[in-house]
């Protein structure tokens, strides 16, 4: 439970900063702020600094096929697909909450996203957002893991998302990340893990951009079979919505999963194709 205390301490500080931010927004003209560095809620795998607007509800369907390396035997990954359903609500323009369910390890997850600083012309040079999650892995089986307790199913993530929009076409983001799994499959792997993420977006046309993100794992066990996630995708803007297509070497879509359990290898063609579809209410 000490990890819950750690995360909620961060969130308490973030909420305090959010209150200060909202009072500042009330006294500023909205046109002073730069437009969003990213159009999608995710760059590819990593969360972006984009927020859901106040009283909007996003329903996001994320689909990740199996490895393309399998060829026709699995119809290039079609037979091994995983899906994630995610609801995200904007309590305010700077406070978002979400719940999701993924078929990968039958994971249920709750999320909180807070905008702490917003990039502004003549003001703050960056946008800073905190993102925190708690998940439950319901696929763990007591028959194979004697002594399994409920707390062993839990995992946590907290990260800062720091983005800058350099011009109308080009944005970059840095994502220092801490995540913890109460159960890890590799005995030599620390439960608490650390990652530095990098990502970016470059507009190709008025409605199309190319995106990338990468997570450098800082304390992965030497015996681990998993790899750092590298992903490339395209955002297609259609009627005010963003349709995302991507290729990645990590099939899981939860943060703990793609950072800690990515099995693919770009050098061997072991990559996964996927997409995100969203509907706004």
């Amino acid at each position: 439970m000490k990890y819950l205390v750690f995360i909620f301490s961060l969130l308490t500080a973030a909420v305090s900063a959010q209150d200060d931010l909202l009072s500042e927004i009330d006294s500023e003209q909205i046109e002073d702020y730069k437009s969003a560095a990213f159009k999608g809620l995710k760059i590819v795998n990593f969360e972006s600094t984009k927020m859901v607007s106040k009283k909007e509800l996003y329903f996001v369907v994320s689909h990740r096929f199996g490895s393309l390396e399998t060829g026709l035997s699995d119809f290039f990954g079609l037979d091994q697909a995983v899906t994630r359903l995610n609801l995200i609500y904007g309590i305010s323009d700077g406070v978002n909450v979400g719940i999701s369910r993924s078929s990968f390890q039958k994971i249920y997850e709750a999320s909180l996203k807070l905008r702490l600083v917003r990039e502004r012309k003549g003001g703050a040079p960056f946008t800073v957002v905190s993102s925190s999650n708690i998940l439950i892995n319901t696929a763990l089986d007591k028959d194979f893991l004697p002594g399994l307790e409920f707390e062993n199913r839990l995992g946590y993530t907290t990260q800062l998302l720091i983005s800058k929009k350099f011009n109308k076409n080009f944005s970059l983001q840095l994502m220092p990340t801490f995540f913890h799994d109460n159960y890890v499959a590799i005995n030599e792997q620390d439960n608490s893990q650390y990652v530095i993420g990098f990502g970016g977006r470059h507009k190709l046309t008025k409605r199309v951009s190319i995106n990338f993100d990468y997570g450098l794992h800082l304390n992965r066990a030497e015996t681990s079979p998993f790899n750092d996630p590298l992903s490339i995708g395209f955002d297609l803007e259609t009627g005010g919505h963003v349709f995302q297509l991507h290729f990645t070497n990590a099939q899981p879509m939860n943060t703990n999963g793609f950072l800690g359990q990515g099995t693919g290898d770009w050098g061997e063609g072991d990559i996964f194709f996927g997409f995100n579809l969203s509907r706004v209410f």
Side-chain angles (χ1 to χ4, degrees):
M1 295 302 291
K2 62 182 179 180
Y3 302 102
L4 279 175
V5 173
F6 171 75
I7 289 173
F8 284 115
S9 296
L10 288 179
L11 296 183
T12 300
V15 169
S16 176
Q18 176 67 25
D19 291 338
D20 294 339
L21 172 65
L22 291 176
S23 63
E24 178 184 343
I25 289 175
D26 289 340
S27 62
E28 296 288 343
Q29 294 296 320
I30 193 66
E31 57 264 23
D32 287 342
Y33 293 107
K34 286 191 175 183
S35 57
F38 296 90
K39 293 296 184 181
L41 294 172
K42 286 182 174 288
I43 304 176
V44 182
N45 274 322
F46 281 90
E47 293 285 333
S48 77
T49 52
K50 178 179 171 61
M51 304 290 292
V52 173
S53 298
K54 182 178 181 179
K55 295 185 179 180
E56 282 189 347
L57 177 66
Y58 272 60
F59 177 54
V60 183
V61 178
S62 301
H63 201 70
R64 192 72 52 82
F65 294 97
S67 176
L68 297 175
E69 187 186 32
T70 60
L72 283 174
S73 63
D74 278 336
F75 204 73
F76 299 96
L78 181 65
D79 296 343
Q80 303 297 329
V82 298
T83 301
R84 184 184 184 211
L85 306 179
N86 195 6
L87 285 170
I88 308 149
Y89 180 70
I91 295 176
S92 73
D93 290 342
V95 180
N96 291 175
V97 294
I99 55 172
S100 71
R101 201 276 188 183
S102 174
S103 60
F104 178 80
Q105 297 179 344
K106 301 179 180 179
I107 287 175
Y108 293 86
E109 185 177 63
S111 64
L112 174 64
K113 198 171 178 181
L114 304 172
R115 184 166 59 212
L116 308 179
V117 178
R118 190 173 180 184
E119 187 175 1
R120 191 175 68 187
K121 299 174 183 177
F126 307 102
T127 293
V128 182
V129 170
S130 71
S131 178
S132 300
N133 307 314
I134 180 169
L135 64 81
I136 304 173
N137 180 345
T138 65
L140 294 178
D141 194 330
K142 289 185 177 181
D143 292 338
F144 295 97
L145 295 170
L148 179 71
E149 301 290 343
F150 175 76
E151 65 179 20
N152 301 131
R153 300 181 183 274
L154 300 178
Y156 320 94
T157 306
T158 187
Q159 56 189 165
L160 281 181
L161 316 173
I162 307 166
S163 72
K164 181 171 181 59
K165 187 171 185 178
F166 290 90
N167 55 51
K168 65 178 183 179
N169 293 327
F170 182 62
S171 302
L172 287 177
Q173 184 170 298
L174 178 68
M175 297 86 73
T177 302
F178 164 83
F179 71 100
H180 179 93
D181 287 314
N182 283 349
Y183 169 80
V184 289
I186 309 302
N187 291 333
E188 296 79 9
Q189 179 62 60
D190 291 339
N191 297 84
S192 295
Q193 301 173 60
Y194 306 90
V195 172
I196 295 292
F198 309 87
R201 170 180 182 262
H202 181 69
K203 287 187 70 173
L204 302 177
T205 70
K206 184 177 180 180
R207 297 186 179 277
V208 179
S209 70
I210 184 170
N211 297 4
F212 81 94
D213 58 35
Y214 172 73
L216 176 62
H217 199 295
L218 301 179
N219 65 325
R220 194 184 302 280
E222 292 184 2
T223 57
S224 174
F226 304 121
N227 299 314
D228 292 347
L230 172 62
S231 310
I232 298 172
F234 295 90
D235 283 2
L236 310 177
E237 296 181 50
T238 57
H241 304 294
V242 179
F243 178 47
Q244 297 182 302
L245 305 169
H246 43 256
F247 295 91
T248 177
N249 63 330
Q251 190 181 37
M253 288 171 280
N254 299 87
T255 304
N256 293 44
F258 72 77
L259 291 178
Q261 301 176 58
T263 58
D265 188 328
W266 280 85
E268 297 180 1
D270 186 11
I271 57 177
F272 306 88
F273 171 70
F275 60 83
N276 298 330
L277 292 170
S278 63
R279 171 67 177 168
V280 184
F281 298 94

